[in-house]
């Protein structure tokens, strides 16, 4: 069976996106998804996204990590899948889609940036100088003085597979302050199992986390990832965060097709 796909990237996070509204893709075959995402033996991507029909929104997003397993929310993927759906005329300049953690509103902004509404953050766990925040995906945050000295793959893996994350694992983020409203980030991503050029839910966790820790009073924060800049906006109230928006690029790279025999 042949399938068409588009490849998109959002701040360096890249995805294979497939129109699966006829539900023909073998989504339970982890080995096929893993091979398609393989950068040497396949198309190459941080993850694969299916667009399916939804009774609650304009469409449904099903996200798979590059290891082939269905993942939790992917923020950069959410912006990219909205751009893909827009190219198919499923949505116009604003739409609602269903994801694993519920409904999300996305919209076009100026300069071809896409804004994605995120769920509220109410529970933040502080452990010494680190934080744990779930922004649709779990994130461990470490605040560092010189992010360039961090061995993200080794140090991130040690945290991801260590206590207290032995059961479900976590994404691991290292954050360095640039100025009052700008911070650098590097992320070890669960499911990819290495450092990625950016992570949308990680950027949201970083924006919320630096405000929660008192590193900034700004509610509009620029997160500088290796693959580009993401903007996080939110409304804080008594340690909780609402009206959270993830804003950044979502760019078409190329299209193609493949055959599953």
């Amino acid at each position: 069976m042949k399938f068409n796909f588009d490849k998109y990237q959002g701040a360096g996070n890249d995805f294979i996106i497939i129109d699966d509204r006829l539900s023909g893709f073998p989504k339970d075959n982890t080995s096929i998804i893993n091979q398609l995402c393989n950068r040497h033996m396949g198309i190459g991507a941080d993850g694969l996204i299916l667009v399916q029909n939804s009774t609650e929104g304009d469409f449904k997003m099903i996200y798979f990590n590059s290891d082939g397993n269905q993942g939790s929310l992917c923020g950069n993927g959410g912006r990219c899948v909205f751009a893909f759906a827009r190219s198919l005329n499923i949505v116009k300049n604003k739409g609602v889609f269903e994801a694993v953690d519920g409904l999300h509103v996305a919209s076009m902004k100026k300069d071809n940036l896409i804004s994605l509404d995120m769920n509220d953050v109410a529970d933040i766990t502080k452990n010494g100088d680190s934080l744990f925040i779930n922004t649709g995906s779990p994130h461990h945050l470490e605040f560092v003085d010189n992010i360039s000295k961090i061995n993200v793959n080794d140090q991130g893996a040690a945290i991801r597979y260590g206590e207290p994350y032995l059961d479900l694992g976590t994404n691991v983020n290292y954050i360095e302050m640039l100025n009052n409203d700008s911070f650098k980030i590097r992320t070890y991503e669960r499911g990819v199992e290495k450092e990625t050029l950016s992570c949308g839910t990680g950027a949201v966790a970083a924006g919320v986390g630096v405000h929660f820790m008192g590193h900034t009073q700004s509610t509009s924060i620029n997160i500088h990832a290796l693959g580009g800049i993401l903007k996080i906006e939110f409304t804080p109230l008594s340690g909780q965060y609402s009206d959270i928006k993830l804003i950044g690029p979502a760019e078409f790279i190329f299209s193609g097709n493949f055959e599953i025999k």
Side-chain angles (χ1 to χ4, degrees):
M1 184 176 291
K2 288 186 177 180
F3 294 91
N4 297 318
F5 73 91
D6 282 1
K7 188 171 177 182
Y8 277 76
Q9 67 91 13
N13 230 178
D14 58 339
F15 308 97
I16 300 163
I17 308 181
I18 298 168
D19 180 1
D20 192 44
R21 286 176 289 174
L22 298 179
S23 300
F25 185 82
K27 64 181 182 179
D28 296 325
N29 193 324
T30 58
S31 63
I32 286 177
I33 297 171
N34 176 254
Q35 183 179 0
L36 289 171
C37 292
N38 188 292
R39 297 191 183 278
H40 301 287
M41 307 296 289
I43 298 167
D46 290 327
L48 182 145
I49 301 172
L50 300 180
V51 170
Q52 295 188 337
N53 293 314
S54 171
T55 58
E56 299 181 49
D58 295 307
F59 64 92
K60 183 177 183 179
M61 166 191 177
I62 302 181
Y63 173 70
F64 299 87
N65 291 311
S66 62
D67 63 7
N69 294 304
Q70 190 168 342
S72 47
L73 178 68
C74 177
N76 286 332
R79 291 197 334 281
C80 287
V81 77
F82 175 78
F84 175 78
R86 189 168 175 264
S87 75
L88 297 179
N89 292 315
I90 298 173
V91 294
K92 300 298 184 182
N93 287 338
K94 187 174 184 179
V96 180
F97 67 87
E98 181 184 352
V100 67
D101 65 335
L103 296 177
H104 291 267
V105 176
S107 59
M108 291 296 302
K109 308 289 283 186
K110 62 180 182 179
D111 300 325
N112 290 321
L113 299 180
I114 292 176
S115 174
L116 178 65
D117 289 1
M118 306 290 286
N119 287 334
D120 294 352
V121 172
D123 297 320
I124 300 176
T125 303
K126 190 173 185 296
N127 184 13
D129 294 329
S130 66
L131 293 179
F132 176 80
I133 304 176
N134 193 314
T135 54
S137 289
H139 286 277
H140 176 97
L141 276 60
E142 295 274 335
F143 303 94
V144 299
D145 294 327
N146 190 340
I147 204 168
S148 65
K149 292 185 176 181
I150 302 297
N151 186 325
V152 174
N153 286 330
D154 289 348
Q155 293 175 237
I159 294 173
R160 183 258 193 266
Y161 289 104
E163 293 283 1
Y165 306 117
L166 288 176
D167 291 336
L168 298 177
T170 185
N171 302 284
V172 182
N173 305 271
Y174 296 92
I175 302 161
E176 176 188 342
M177 184 174 188
L178 294 176
N179 55 53
N180 181 60
D181 62 0
S182 296
F183 295 80
K184 282 185 178 180
I185 189 171
R186 293 177 66 188
T187 301
Y188 179 97
E189 198 163 338
R190 181 186 68 164
V192 181
E193 304 308 334
K194 63 180 180 180
E195 183 176 13
T196 55
L197 293 181
S198 71
C199 174
T201 55
V204 172
V208 168
V210 295
H211 186 277
F212 180 85
M213 292 291 282
H215 297 312
T216 181
Q217 297 301 311
S218 177
T219 58
S220 179
I221 298 173
N222 297 308
I223 301 296
H224 295 248
L226 295 178
I229 301 174
L230 297 168
K231 181 180 285 293
I232 314 301
E233 297 178 349
F234 51 79
T235 300
L237 180 63
S238 301
Q240 300 185 13
Y241 295 82
S242 61
D243 303 320
I244 303 172
K245 298 184 183 301
L246 169 64
I247 303 168
E251 299 176 350
F252 170 79
I253 306 174
F254 62 83
S255 60
N257 61 75
F258 58 87
E259 184 174 3
I260 297 177
K261 297 180 180 180

